[in-house]
């Protein structure tokens, strides 16, 4: 039992069809419906737990590896934990994941409406990529990323790099609203970069997980952060500055 009075083991035992997870001490799994498998591992002191959910495809070995890694690194536990916490150095089998990430209780909400006390002592963990996180995401940004972009329950998902962008195109009349950069996806960035040529006065400005910013223009020739270039930004250059793993560039 943790210092909030939650007996995690008892709470999990009360979940319908929960069973011990083979090969990992103090861990359980259950399936609330045919498409989902949930798995949870408890810390040795009983004060925190790490839960990984998978949709449609469940890999027991990967799940064990993620839970063990999260428990070893105490991901999302402690006063310094943010809404999204990551640890790099993870690998398993042929998967390209290089990190494990943890969403805080207020972000994942895995047990909201069923067991609020249990929810508050669980990190929602999932295999991830370093390029997907900046490390200073606000609670609102974390919810946007976790619930709207990253698809943490899909084991076959490609990287979704941390990418904020603003743009304006004088030819298509498309553009972002306001001076701030908003979250977007890799394919949208590539599309808007491709539409710059032949549209003088247009620009695309984007930011990666390291906080580096690139401003790309076409005014008869290409300019990147004010420096002239002979050719438009290539897909491989974009992938490199976003930190995408080499296999998916």
């Amino acid at each position: 039992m943790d210092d909030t009075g939650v007996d995690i083991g008892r709470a999990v035992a009360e979940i319908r069809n929960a069973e011990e997870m083979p090969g990992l001490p103090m861990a359980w799994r259950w399936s609330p419906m045919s498409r989902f498998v949930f798995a949870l591992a408890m810390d040795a002191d009983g004060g925190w737990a790490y839960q990984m959910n998978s949709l449609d495809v469940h890999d027991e070995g990967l799940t064990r590896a993620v839970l063990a890694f999260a428990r070893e690194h105490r991901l999302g536990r402690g006063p310094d934990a943010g809404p999204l916490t990551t640890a790099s150095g993870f690998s398993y089998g042929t998967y390209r994941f290089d990190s494990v990430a943890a969403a805080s209780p207020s972000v994942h909400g895995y047990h909201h409406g069923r067991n609020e006390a249990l929810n508050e002592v669980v990190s929602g963990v999932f295999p991830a990529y370093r390029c997907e996180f900046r490390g200073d995401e606000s609670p609102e940004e974390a919810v946007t990323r976790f619930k709207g972009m990253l698809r943490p329950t899909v084991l076959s998902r490609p990287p979704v790099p941390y990418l904020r962008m603003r743009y304006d195109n004088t030819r298509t009349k498309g553009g972002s609203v306001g001076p701030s950069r908003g979250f977007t996806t890799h394919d949208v960035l590539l599309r808007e970069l491709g539409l710059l040529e032949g549209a003088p006065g247009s620009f695309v400005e984007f930011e990666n997980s390291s906080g580096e910013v690139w401003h790309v223009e076409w005014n008869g020739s290409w300019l990147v952060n004010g420096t002239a270039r002979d050719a438009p930004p290539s897909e491989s250059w974009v992938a490199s500055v976003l930190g995408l793993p080499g296999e998916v560039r």
Side-chain angles (χ1 to χ4, degrees):
M1 182 178 295
D2 80 335
D3 56 10
T4 67
V6 181
D7 187 329
I8 296 174
R10 176 175 294 180
V12 174
E14 293 173 353
I15 297 174
R16 185 175 62 86
N17 74 24
E19 61 182 10
E20 291 188 1
M21 188 173 183
L24 189 65
M26 297 183 297
W28 300 264
R29 64 185 178 193
W30 66 97
S31 180
M33 59 184 71
S34 60
R35 298 183 64 197
F36 282 98
V37 175
F38 297 171
L40 177 147
M42 186 168 61
D43 262 346
D45 64 2
W48 199 262
Y50 310 90
Q51 181 172 328
M52 176 173 162
N53 297 351
S54 54
L55 172 67
D56 290 332
V57 175
H58 175 69
D59 186 323
E60 186 109 330
L62 175 64
T63 301
R64 277 197 301 266
V66 168
L67 292 176
F69 188 91
R71 181 158 61 187
E72 177 187 353
H73 290 81
R74 296 167 65 89
L75 275 180
R77 181 176 184 176
D80 296 329
L84 287 174
T85 309
T86 62
S88 59
F90 175 80
S91 64
Y92 180 79
T94 60
Y95 291 95
R96 297 191 301 264
F97 300 117
D98 57 23
S99 304
V100 173
S104 68
S106 62
V107 172
H108 65 71
Y110 282 166
H111 299 279
H112 278 336
R114 291 176 293 273
N115 189 328
E116 300 293 343
L118 176 61
N119 190 82
E120 295 308 304
V121 292
V122 171
S123 292
V125 300
F126 56 101
Y129 303 90
R130 287 190 300 271
C131 66
E132 295 179 317
F133 308 94
R134 179 159 164 171
D136 62 354
E137 291 85 353
S138 69
E140 295 77 14
E141 290 169 344
V143 170
T144 295
R145 295 287 286 159
F146 180 78
K147 294 190 174 180
M149 301 185 75
L150 293 174
R151 299 192 298 157
T153 61
V154 179
L155 303 185
S156 60
R157 71 183 186 88
V160 183
Y162 183 102
L163 170 60
R164 304 186 75 135
M165 182 179 85
R166 69 184 187 99
Y167 71 103
D168 185 69
N169 192 294
T170 59
R171 178 163 53 87
T172 67
K173 308 304 181 185
S176 50
V177 177
S180 299
R181 292 181 288 272
F183 283 116
T184 190
T185 54
H186 181 211
D187 60 325
V188 172
L189 172 61
L190 291 175
R191 182 192 72 204
E192 293 304 325
L193 287 172
L195 291 171
L196 283 179
E197 190 165 7
S202 304
F203 72 89
V204 172
E205 184 179 274
F206 66 98
E207 173 186 354
N208 69 2
S209 61
S210 298
E212 299 167 319
V213 177
W214 285 268
H215 188 91
V216 184
E217 302 175 62
W218 186 90
N219 283 303
S221 63
W222 291 95
L223 290 173
V224 178
N225 286 354
T227 301
R229 292 199 176 188
D230 295 332
S234 65
E235 288 191 24
S236 62
W237 177 81
V238 172
S240 176
V241 299
L242 292 180
L244 285 167
E247 297 88 340
V248 296
R249 293 181 185 177

